Amino acid sequence: MTEASNSQAPADPEFYRSLPKAELHLHIEGSLTAERMLALAERNGVTLPYAAVEDVEAAYQFDDLQSFLDLYYQGMSVLQTESDFYCLTMDYLEVCRREGIVHCEIGFDPQGHTERGIPFATVVSGITRAQDDAHAQWGQSSALIMNILRHLPVTDAFDAVEQARPYAARISAIGLDSSEVGFPPEPFAPVFSAARELGWHCVAHAGEEGPPAYVWGAIVDLAVDRIDHGIRSDEDDALMDLLIKRQMPLTVCPLSNVRLRAVPTMAKHNLMKMLQAGANVCVNSDDPTYFGGFLCDNFAAVARDLPMTINDAAQLARNSIRSSFLTDSQQQPILSNIDRWLEAQR
Ligand code: ADE
Ligand code: ZN
């Protein structure tokens, strides 16, 4: 290892653009820019409590997950046509191109749209058309994760899986999101079994605001391949031992955790402690336009307040690739490019 790779990584988002990495925890509705939201509101005749971009940004002050979700569901009301979902997704895929996100696994919340009368087909068609165009235009690799809203009944989750059946080949995984505390994962076990029968991977938000018991529930009852967030896992030694032994991926979202007050400050975030302990953590942006930064901003924010060497940054990028749904043969050249990036940092 070179001396330079042991030095503190820079708190500059630009530095991380050339680092090949994957983003595995991104809600496409949470990547809606203020500009796009206002333009779509006007085009679709939706009334929002904001007149200008500055009003939107000023409103994004959150006390907790629920205070964010209230604005997140309001924001997605501007998404109505296939073209709206296409533009939303293309905006994010352009960010991937700019930020060196060589592969992304995009979450979407179909129930947040079908509940408002938007057909499932409209949502999936717009998103997948953007994925196809980005792949054709610059080789962007991406996958799709259908998230289930856990605050809604289990029967609604089954309906969502049924509606997804015709598009099953375009969806790689089922996920579980929305309000966490009071909505444990276990009741969704039969839904996750049905998804597994469709050949999908399984992921779930757990341990963001909820207790370690929810992480256990996601692992034992939902048999997930990955945990989204998982930051409260370190309150339970036996759980941490299991996560490390199984190398269970934790898709951590540093800026999100600070903005939603899941952690008091970035300096108190446990990301680097978990990495040093041997946990399979990676960095993600969650809802970047709501939380003040895309993926490179998250790396830079970590570097600003936590001990993160350049070598650690490369390890976080390796973890993101290894934890993705890409096959080993797809992962190998990217991992080699991460090694090359690290060598170039001398
Ligand atoms: N939906 C969008 N972002 C979320 C988050 N951080 N936690 C739970 N549900 C979400
Ligand atoms: Zn999330």
Side-chain angles (χ1 to χ4, degrees), residues 8 12 15 25 94 140 151 155 196 242 268 283 293 338:
Q8 177 68 16
D12 175 8
F15 177 77
H25 182 168
E94 292 281 3
Q140 182 65 50
H151 70 274
T155 49
R196 208 169 291 111
L242 180 81
K268 294 224 162 77
V283 176
I338 296 173

Side-chain angles (χ1 to χ4, degrees), residues 25 27 205 229 286-287:
H25 182 168
H27 302 264
H205 284 56
H229 294 292
D286 206 5
D287 303 282

Side-chain angles (χ1 to χ4, degrees), residues 168-208:
R170 292 303 308 251
I171 297 172
S172 298
I174 190 168
L176 188 68
D177 67 357
S178 192
S179 320
E180 187 182 8
V181 174
F183 301 96
E186 290 83 354
F188 294 92
V191 182
F192 274 58
S193 294
R196 208 169 291 111
E197 278 169 21
L198 289 173
W200 295 355
H201 295 278
C202 297
V203 304
H205 284 56
E208 178 184 16

Side-chain angles (χ1 to χ4, degrees), residues 25 27 29-30 65 68-69 72-73 109 147 149-150 176-180 205 208 229 253 256-257 260 286-287 291:
H25 182 168
H27 302 264
E29 298 89 347
L65 175 58
F68 152 70
L69 289 171
Y72 171 77
Y73 295 122
D109 282 322
N147 285 316
L149 298 181
R150 70 203 300 163
L176 188 68
D177 67 357
S178 192
S179 320
E180 187 182 8
H205 284 56
E208 178 184 16
H229 294 292
C253 307
S256 164
N257 297 147
L260 300 189
D286 206 5
D287 303 282
F291 301 146

